[in-house]
Amino acid sequence: TDYDLIIVNGVVVTDTDIAELDIAVKGEQIAKIVPKGQLKDAKAARTIDAEGGYVMPGGVDAHVHLQEPPLFGKGSTADNYETGSRSAVCGGTTTMVTFAPQKKSEDTLLDTLHATHAKAKDVCYIDYSFHLLVGNPSERALSEFKTLREEGISSLKIYMTYEALQLHDGQILDVLLEARKQQITTMVHAENGQVIDWMTAQLEKKKMFAPKYHGTSHPPMAETEATYRAICLSEFMDTPILIVHVSTPAAAAHIKSAQDRGLPIYAETCPQYLFLTKKDLDQPGFEGAKCVCSPPPRESEADCDDIWEGLANGTFTILSSDHCPFRYDDAEMGKKSSVSEQYPLGHFKYIPNGCPGIETRLSLTLGEDRLDLKKFVEVTSANPAKLYGLWPRKGGLIEGQSDADINIWYPPGKMQEYILTNDMLHHDVDYSPFEGRTLKQWPRYTVLRGQIVWDKENGGLLGKKGYGQFVKRDASSLAGPRKAGEWEIPL
Ligand code: URP
Ligand code: ZN
Ligand code: ZN
Ligand code: ZN
């Protein structure tokens, strides 16, 4: 045979092109990508007829929390590397970048990295890398950035909120300075932690404990202010940042105006901010806890419309899940982690922050039919790969350069629409905040490094635990500092 796998009759969509092309895979890579019909004489071990469906690069989800200790309120994340990556592959995501969380009490980042490697090794269904979550930018931690790069890590995340993680502005400058030297992309959780704590105390005094007050405690102003502050710190240090999980139109406007001035400010949003609003936090009983994340779902559908618009106009570089799974059972009953005797049932402030969504990110967003198809591939696959140093191995379909990571979607009219229920999903969480929504698309086949790992109609999950590999990353291939090379603190 000439090839291991051939995919014919598809409409191939990448971040730059859409065309009727056929794809040949040899080993783990894209070997050929040619006009429709040109592979008809080629011999392959397996041929998939896409029947006119879209064929896209596999999803790259660059914001995933797995097996993390309690950092965002009470409770450890529910999914481990096995169940989280299993859920990912069943929804068409073939590469994930998760967090390696350094606690404030720890001095080193390398130990954190090695401990996270141990969690992921031999259990992942998809390829993976880590962002270092810097909880303590000690002298030692900063001195380790260089080694991180040597070990294939080119990004880190810092927080402007959460008691367990919040850095003050001087610490942020320390991180940005060293990140600049090592060509590391810094992700920033931009919410003003002191504003949130103050609002939470006000609400508690008035006995306003219900989940919906989580939204009140995180006003848009707290996000807008921190976003603008992060942009100022980044411009001062002349080093790129990515603002994670942007939810507020006013914050997006600051980002857009910085981008219009030519600054390397990147931004991410998530399905939560496209699909959920304040109403989802205000449900009977404690149900609103299912939609508690930070930033929270915002005021109205008009806010969601603005976030969709930001995806369309390029304000948002990437669309990630921010999969940060906690069990509703934990939140409600307090049996395991989220409440104890000291922490009575039902206070919003003890609900761990985060929603599951690694499996639904692609299908929900594509099914809405609101984004240009190339834009969809750009924000869910190509750009996360470029921004985090995985391109062109991941996020593209380039002959001889890209891994054969491919999603083949249902052709128009071929998939029976259905209502999403949690039991269809493969995570280890007892709910999805998106249950009840209509799904109009789902990957029919998913290929990872040449292997068919998902076949919706013939066996579902076919991939094997442990097939996923750690992928070393380079520096971002998107625009970096405005002044290249040597640079001095402006003194
Ligand atoms: O609510 C959220 N987003 N939880 C995850 C932690 C984070 O800040 O990304
Ligand atoms: Zn090492
Ligand atoms: Zn965050
Ligand atoms: Zn997150």
Side-chain angles (χ1 to χ4, degrees):
T1 57
D2 307 315
Y3 300 109
D4 297 302
L5 172 68
I6 282 178
I7 300 165
V8 297
N9 295 324
V11 176
V12 171
V13 187
T14 65
D15 59 329
T16 51
D17 295 286
I18 173 161
E20 291 187 325
L21 299 169
D22 293 343
I23 298 176
V25 173
K26 200 164 183 152
E28 300 195 344
Q29 276 203 325
I30 306 285
K32 279 264 175 316
I33 177 155
V34 296
K36 179 174 167 159
Q38 286 192 7
L39 291 170
K40 68 177 184 306
D41 299 325
K43 297 204 176 17
R46 167 102 196 245
T47 298
I48 293 179
D49 185 348
E51 298 183 88
Y54 297 126
V55 178
M56 297 181 180
V60 178
D61 194 338
H63 190 146
V64 179
H65 301 265
L66 299 175
Q67 244 166 302
E68 290 186 23
L71 293 168
F72 320 113
K74 300 254 139 194
S76 306
T77 50
D79 277 309
N80 57 27
Y81 276 82
E82 177 182 344
T83 63
S85 65
R86 178 181 73 198
S87 184
V89 71
C90 297
T93 289
T94 47
T95 303
M96 63 181 179
V97 190
T98 63
F99 294 99
Q102 180 209 27
K103 293 188 197 152
K104 260 188 187 167
S105 58
E106 294 165 345
D107 194 31
T108 155
L109 294 169
L110 295 178
D111 288 357
T112 307
L113 175 61
H114 298 151
T116 310
H117 267 296
K119 292 179 193 169
K121 195 174 169 351
D122 299 330
V123 299
C124 288
Y125 284 86
I126 64 171
D127 287 353
Y128 61 92
S129 179
F130 312 117
H131 309 288
L132 258 292
L133 194 172
V134 180
N136 176 17
S138 65
E139 247 174 74
R140 176 165 171 202
L142 293 167
S143 75
E144 292 171 338
F145 282 20
K146 192 171 185 307
T147 313
L148 290 179
R149 282 302 309 283
E150 288 158 10
E151 299 209 9
I153 304 294
S154 56
S155 54
L156 46 86
K157 182 178 178 188
I158 57 174
Y159 283 78
M160 299 168 85
T161 183
Y162 291 122
E163 204 184 332
L165 296 166
Q166 183 173 344
L167 304 188
H168 60 67
D169 293 353
Q171 291 174 304
I172 295 175
L173 290 173
D174 282 341
V175 169
L176 292 178
L177 179 61
E178 199 54 33
R180 191 190 196 287
K181 288 186 194 149
Q182 304 302 337
Q183 288 186 282
I184 286 176
T185 302
T186 303
M187 310 159 77
V188 183
H189 181 131
E191 284 187 292
N192 183 318
Q194 298 201 348
V195 168
I196 293 164
D197 291 346
W198 188 86
M199 286 296 284
T200 303
Q202 300 301 312
L203 289 158
E204 284 270 312
K205 260 195 255 172
K206 296 214 150 70
K207 305 215 176 313
M208 297 159 99
F209 298 140
K212 68 177 175 183
Y213 295 116
H214 171 75
T216 319
S217 69
H218 289 62
M221 171 277 279
E223 182 183 359
T224 307
E225 182 279 327
T227 299
Y228 185 62
R229 181 155 40 105
I231 291 168
C232 292
L233 297 173
S234 156
E235 180 175 10
F236 181 73
M237 242 354 133
D238 187 29
T239 197
I241 54 169
L242 171 113
I243 315 276
V244 291
H245 47 50
V246 175
S247 71
T248 303
H254 279 304
I255 290 162
K256 174 126 191 2
S257 90
Q259 292 168 341
D260 289 346
R261 288 197 294 122
L263 301 180
I265 302 293
Y266 300 99
E268 170 195 78
T269 193
C270 315
Q272 295 80 301
Y273 310 115
L274 300 173
F275 292 98
L276 304 180
T277 65
K278 185 172 147 176
K279 270 201 204 115
D280 296 285
L281 283 172
D282 187 6
Q283 294 184 54
F286 208 61
E287 288 277 308
K290 294 178 175 178
C291 298
V292 166
C293 55
S294 287
R298 293 301 184 186
E299 193 66 23
S300 67
E301 282 188 19
D303 292 303
C304 298
D305 289 344
D306 272 22
I307 301 300
W308 278 104
E309 174 57 26
L311 277 172
N313 73 21
T315 306
F316 297 115
T317 321
I318 63 175
L319 177 76
S320 311
S321 68
D322 194 6
H323 182 78
C324 189
F326 299 96
R327 288 193 199 95
Y328 180 60
D329 190 42
D330 287 349
E332 193 189 36
M333 308 306 291
K335 277 184 193 138
K336 291 180 193 144
S337 50
S338 70
V339 276
S340 65
E341 263 175 44
Q342 277 167 284
Y343 299 109
L345 173 70
H347 289 218
F348 76 81
K349 75 168 183 172
Y350 301 119
I351 302 169
N353 292 188
C355 297
I358 199 168
E359 192 167 348
T360 46
R361 174 183 70 124
L362 297 173
S363 298
L364 275 176
T365 309
L366 183 63
E368 274 312 274
D369 218 4
R370 272 180 84 155
L371 279 185
D372 171 79
L373 290 167
K374 287 187 281 184
K375 180 56 86 173
F376 173 78
V377 173
E378 182 184 286
V379 296
T380 58
S381 192
N383 271 355
K386 290 175 185 177
L387 181 66
Y388 296 121
L390 290 160
W391 180 266
R393 180 168 169 199
K394 302 296 186 185
L397 297 171
I398 301 173
E399 287 182 354
Q401 293 187 47
S402 300
D403 282 354
D405 298 352
I406 306 165
N407 276 329
I408 302 165
W409 297 88
Y410 278 88
K414 181 107 182 175
M415 193 186 104
Q416 187 92 42
E417 288 189 5
Y418 59 86
I419 304 290
L420 178 70
T421 58
N422 191 55
D423 58 12
M424 293 167 181
L425 300 175
H426 301 75
H427 55 197
D428 194 13
V429 188
D430 53 2
Y431 76 94
S432 158
F434 305 110
E435 276 167 88
R437 282 171 200 274
T438 304
L439 285 166
K440 302 179 192 114
Q441 265 292 10
W442 199 270
R444 191 177 182 194
Y445 304 94
T446 300
V447 177
L448 169 57
R449 281 184 284 107
Q451 298 294 314
I452 299 169
V453 288
W454 170 255
D455 179 341
K456 191 161 187 328
E457 276 158 53
N458 294 291
L461 175 61
L462 303 181
K464 297 278 176 287
K465 171 178 162 180
Y467 181 64
Q469 291 177 353
F470 175 71
V471 188
K472 279 193 160 193
R473 296 186 286 122
D474 291 323
S476 169
S477 50
L478 300 182
R482 291 199 291 177
K483 295 183 201 68
E486 281 302 301
W487 184 84
E488 301 269 326
I489 305 169
L491 297 176

